[in-house]
Amino acid sequence: MTTPRTPAPDVSIVVPIYNEVENLHDLVERIAQAMAAQPLSFELLAVDDGSRDGSADRLRELAATRPWLRPVFLARNYGQSSALQAGFDRVRGRYVVTLDADLQNEPGDIPLLLQRLETDAGVDMVSGWRKDRQDAELSRKLPSRIANRLISRATGVHLHDYGCALKAYRRPIIDRIRLYGELHRFIPSLAKEAGARIAEVPVRHHARTRGVSKYGIDRTFRVVLDLILIVFFMRYRQRPLHAFGGLGLWLATPGVLILLWLLLQKLMGHDIGNRPLLLAGVMLLLMGVQFVAAGLIGELLTRIYHEAGGAPQFHAQEYVPENERKPAQAPTHGAPEAIKKIA
């Protein structure tokens, strides 16, 4: 006989965990205290990403006396994006909150983010901003500032702090996005692509006191590569011919002009067989044709993907007259201060 599931909560909190056994008890307790201070019901999806320090066993112990704690155990260490997606696949609440397990995020700020979603129907995602970040200047804060400016400029989603894990979403936004590789750093950009209106809220940040950081300076180079992917997705996912074909035309056009000029030289009796310019013209033309062909193949794949039931081409919501709308939930707190609306 199967045990009946508890009713769906209002809030699903997703926390990816990797080798954080020393922080788990305090993390769970502080989340419970924060959520007890507001009226919304909640569940905590603690996703163990193949920890090797006993985090999985500790989660089982904590879940035995806390019905709202739902541990999820991945078979091995897949990375933060996969851990978050494993949690997103299992959320049941109408709001979804994410934060890290290292206790550098302040669980007590969760109600602040939920308050913004409850009181402002024009916001679909609230992103935390570690305004007074407690990290090393050169190894953490400086690369982060550079990355934030670069990502904001490239994607058009201007945030002070892309790296803050403390975020809150309306459930439909989470249902529209999928995380692969290391795209967790670009969730605001993916959410904007899915139609989210984003706000940013200053939140508290603490220095790490237990455990070891999983990030290093090497992630800066991976961020640049992932950023290229995100920009391509946001601008050209449904029109790859404009990306590849445009680059192909830029290459092929000078190649054609070079070959036409050499043809004219040949007709005038000049020898062009040993000229390096001939090879350059041929190479530019061939490269341009290949890029255009790649764009055409991309267009075919895009149409096959969407017509075969893949990701929708757009997200839409029908207008509902006010007299048919469900009553809004009562606000949980007073209006927050220092909130910057992004989109």
Side-chain angles (χ1 to χ4, degrees):
M1 181 177 179
T2 58
T3 304
R5 297 189 68 181
T6 58
D10 296 309
V11 182
S12 294
I13 303 172
V14 179
V15 181
I17 296 166
Y18 180 62
N19 292 343
E20 296 286 358
V21 65
E22 298 175 347
N23 291 316
L24 289 182
H25 181 270
D26 286 350
L27 173 71
V28 171
E29 285 300 307
R30 288 169 64 177
I31 290 176
Q33 292 171 9
M35 296 306 292
Q38 50 84 58
L40 299 176
S41 60
F42 78 101
E43 64 179 355
L44 172 57
L45 287 138
V47 184
D48 180 71
D49 187 21
S51 297
R52 298 186 296 255
D53 67 342
S55 293
D57 293 334
R58 188 65 173 137
L59 283 174
R60 292 186 182 94
E61 294 173 6
L62 294 169
T65 56
R66 297 168 177 82
W68 42 265
L69 175 56
R70 297 174 55 198
V72 178
F73 306 103
L74 301 188
R76 62 173 178 83
N77 179 234
Y78 290 93
Q80 188 170 349
S81 291
S82 296
L84 282 171
Q85 188 60 57
F88 291 164
D89 289 342
R90 292 164 173 79
V91 297
R92 297 184 294 151
R94 55 192 177 94
Y95 300 131
V96 179
V97 175
T98 62
L99 74 159
D100 281 338
D102 54 15
L103 289 178
Q104 291 192 262
N105 295 134
E106 174 53 60
D109 287 334
I110 294 176
L112 177 66
L113 275 63
L114 293 173
Q115 167 201 3
R116 178 61 163 160
L117 293 178
E118 281 278 271
T119 58
D120 191 346
V123 171
D124 302 302
M125 171 185 169
V126 183
S127 182
W129 170 21
R130 298 167 293 182
K131 195 171 184 179
D132 186 19
R133 184 172 176 180
Q134 303 299 310
D135 276 327
E137 180 67 33
L138 292 179
S139 62
R140 300 293 297 276
K141 294 170 70 173
L142 179 60
S144 180
R145 281 197 292 267
I146 295 173
N148 289 328
R149 292 177 183 177
L150 181 62
I151 296 171
S152 294
R153 187 181 183 92
T155 64
V157 183
H158 297 279
L159 293 176
H160 290 94
D161 191 357
Y162 264 81
C164 182
L166 183 55
K167 295 179 171 67
Y169 316 80
R170 298 189 190 277
R171 172 73 175 279
I173 297 302
I174 291 299
D175 291 340
R176 293 173 188 173
I177 65 177
R178 298 288 300 182
L179 299 180
Y180 304 95
E182 296 187 7
L183 295 185
H184 60 275
R185 301 186 185 96
F186 302 95
I187 290 180
S189 301
L190 296 173
K192 180 65 179 297
E193 179 70 8
R197 295 156 294 184
I198 305 171
E200 190 172 36
V201 178
V203 295
R204 289 170 284 180
H205 187 251
H206 307 293
R208 178 184 273 274
T209 58
R210 287 171 290 189
V212 179
S213 175
K214 314 304 185 297
Y215 300 103
I217 193 69
D218 61 313
R219 67 173 177 163
T220 305
F221 304 102
R222 299 198 299 270
V223 167
V224 173
L225 295 175
D226 289 334
L227 179 59
I228 295 173
L229 176 64
I230 286 295
V231 171
F232 179 83
F233 277 172
M234 294 184 68
R235 297 182 182 178
Y236 301 109
R237 181 172 59 180
Q238 295 193 38
R239 49 191 184 98
L241 182 59
H242 288 189
F244 293 103
L247 181 58
L249 290 178
W250 275 103
L251 292 171
T253 299
V256 170
L257 293 176
I258 289 172
L259 294 178
L260 287 176
W261 184 77
L262 290 176
L263 176 61
L264 180 61
Q265 293 289 307
K266 181 68 175 177
L267 294 176
M268 295 174 62
H270 297 288
D271 183 21
I272 64 172
N274 296 322
R275 301 182 68 170
L277 201 58
L278 176 62
L279 180 60
V282 172
M283 290 297 296
L284 287 172
L285 179 59
L286 291 177
M287 291 171 63
V289 171
Q290 287 180 331
F291 273 108
V292 172
L296 291 172
I297 294 173
E299 289 285 340
L300 292 174
L301 293 175
T302 298
R303 280 152 178 73
I304 292 172
Y305 177 68
H306 287 300
E307 292 174 6
Q313 293 175 259
F314 55 84
H315 302 284
Q317 183 178 6
E318 292 188 20
Y319 169 74
V320 179
E322 290 189 11
N323 59 349
E324 297 181 11
R325 297 177 187 174
K326 295 181 180 179
Q329 294 283 338
T332 58
H333 303 282
E337 298 181 358
I339 296 179
K340 177 188 176 185
K341 189 168 183 181
I342 306 300

